[in-house]
Amino acid sequence: MSRQKRVVAIHDISCVGKCSLTVALPILSAAGIETSIIPTAVLSTHTGGFEGFTFCDLTEEIIPITDHWQTLDLKIDGIYTGFLGSFKQLELMEQVFDTFKRPDNIIFVDPVMADNGVMYSIFSPDFAQGMARLCGKADIIIPNITEACFMTGEEYRAGPYTKDYIETLLERLTELGPKKIILTGVCFDEVTLGAASYDRVNGQLDYDFAPRIEGYYHGSGDVFGSAALAALMNGFSLREAARVAVDFTVGSIQRTKEAGTDIRYGIDFERGLGRLITDLKL
Ligand code: PXL
């Protein structure tokens, strides 16, 4: 048996409304990855559509946790950050990356902060500059089109897009520093939606699409990111990882739509885990 890979997932815990750690942990674990966590905050629900949620900030815990880890012989193969609630947390992530980055591990950053042309209500527009800086320390980033525009200063447009627009965005994103990018929310027509994956080192650019399902499904970005990282940790290429993540996410959205579930509660990824494991050849 080969050594089990370990990912450190650094996100909040939203107790209800599947996203962040309640998505990353089960998906990575199902994919055979040991998943260590740093919870950045505990909320009663996520912030997207619920009123009156509680919020307990855990920023002060981050460095004590990593200080303790430095006394252990931890082998870390991947660090995965998602929703980060403040500039202070962005700054601490840079510190965590500096502590645990090795030539043979990957830093995987999902710059969660915006969608559909607007920043999430809790973030100011200048948060994008801080996030762009953090992306500069990542090996792989997975923004959506809105986040890509806010970080690069390119003009946000609603789809369908031209190849020229998408490829310019990818090029601008690589200028932030990461070698690999999976850009989500890419569409060239009204009926399909998917992702572009780009490796700056070998110039490989690929597109993966699935039939578009209308509607905004909360937590789908975290499902996508977790599945993509699960595939990468299992030795899949960037392109293959994007394909696995598109299929897994679209399947999860489809089941949610068919069940008529309130979209604030997240998508039904759980009943796709069996298929994910098969796709990952585990
Ligand atoms: O899915 C991203 C996410 C994660 N965590 C919290 C959020 C959001 C998106 O709104 O509010 C707390």
Side-chain angles (χ1 to χ4, degrees):
M1 213 58 187
S2 58
R3 185 184 64 80
Q4 193 179 15
K5 296 263 174 70
R6 170 185 283 109
V7 161
V8 174
I10 310 178
H11 307 244
D12 64 276
I13 298 175
S14 289
C15 301
V16 161
K18 288 173 280 182
C19 66
S20 40
L21 277 183
T22 63
V23 162
L25 250 177
I27 294 173
L28 288 162
S29 299
I33 311 301
E34 178 176 349
T35 309
S36 305
I37 60 167
I38 302 181
T40 53
V42 179
L43 298 88
S44 53
T45 65
H46 60 68
T47 65
F50 295 100
E51 295 289 322
F53 52 82
T54 67
F55 176 83
C56 173
D57 184 47
L58 296 175
T59 304
E60 298 304 320
E61 292 298 311
I62 294 172
I63 297 303
I65 290 171
T66 57
D67 281 351
H68 180 220
W69 286 0
Q70 284 185 81
T71 69
L72 309 174
D73 187 24
L74 284 187
K75 175 99 179 65
I76 294 172
D77 302 287
I79 301 178
Y80 173 22
T81 68
F83 181 94
L84 295 165
S86 63
F87 283 97
K88 180 71 191 170
Q89 287 194 349
L90 292 177
E91 197 186 303
L92 292 181
M93 287 311 108
E94 289 198 36
Q95 223 174 299
V96 172
F97 293 174
D98 289 342
T99 302
F100 294 112
K101 179 64 192 156
R102 303 278 176 271
D104 61 348
N105 65 11
I106 62 168
I107 294 181
F108 186 86
V109 171
D110 183 355
V112 177
M113 61 185 165
D115 208 355
N116 285 320
V118 285
M119 293 292 278
Y120 294 149
S121 56
I122 63 157
F123 296 120
S124 59
D126 57 347
F127 193 76
Q129 274 73 62
M131 191 57 98
R133 200 183 130 113
L134 188 67
C135 285
K137 284 192 165 273
D139 298 296
I140 305 177
I141 61 169
I142 53 161
N144 61 33
I145 303 259
T146 306
E147 290 155 350
C149 289
F150 277 119
M151 290 196 295
T152 59
E154 290 292 319
E155 181 201 354
Y156 172 78
R157 296 186 205 152
Y161 303 104
T162 60
K163 278 203 164 173
D164 194 42
Y165 179 74
I166 296 299
E167 288 167 22
T168 302
L169 263 183
L170 289 168
E171 216 44 72
R172 296 294 315 280
L173 286 165
T174 62
E175 289 166 13
L176 300 177
K179 293 195 190 66
K180 296 180 185 182
I181 293 158
I182 301 178
L183 180 64
T184 60
V186 174
C187 57
F188 295 130
D189 57 46
E190 303 283 352
V191 291
T192 54
L193 183 64
S197 47
Y198 181 54
D199 183 331
R200 163 164 69 94
V201 176
N202 61 18
Q204 176 127 4
L205 168 64
D206 293 288
Y207 292 99
D208 289 285
F209 294 105
R212 172 191 283 271
I213 303 171
E214 281 311 327
Y216 176 77
Y217 285 84
H218 198 94
S220 48
D222 296 337
V223 169
F224 182 93
S226 302
L229 183 57
L232 290 165
M233 284 288 130
N234 277 292
F236 285 61
S237 68
L238 190 71
R239 196 256 156 100
E240 291 165 339
R243 179 75 249 163
V244 165
V246 166
D247 288 347
F248 183 61
T249 309
V250 169
S252 305
I253 292 174
Q254 186 65 43
R255 283 186 294 279
T256 310
K257 184 179 174 152
E258 283 165 14
T261 317
D262 180 336
I263 56 173
R264 294 176 304 168
Y265 288 90
I267 57 175
D268 176 0
F269 69 86
E270 294 91 336
R271 288 186 279 184
L273 287 172
R275 159 88 193 274
L276 176 68
I277 291 165
T278 307
D279 285 352
L280 295 177
K281 304 178 179 66
L282 293 171

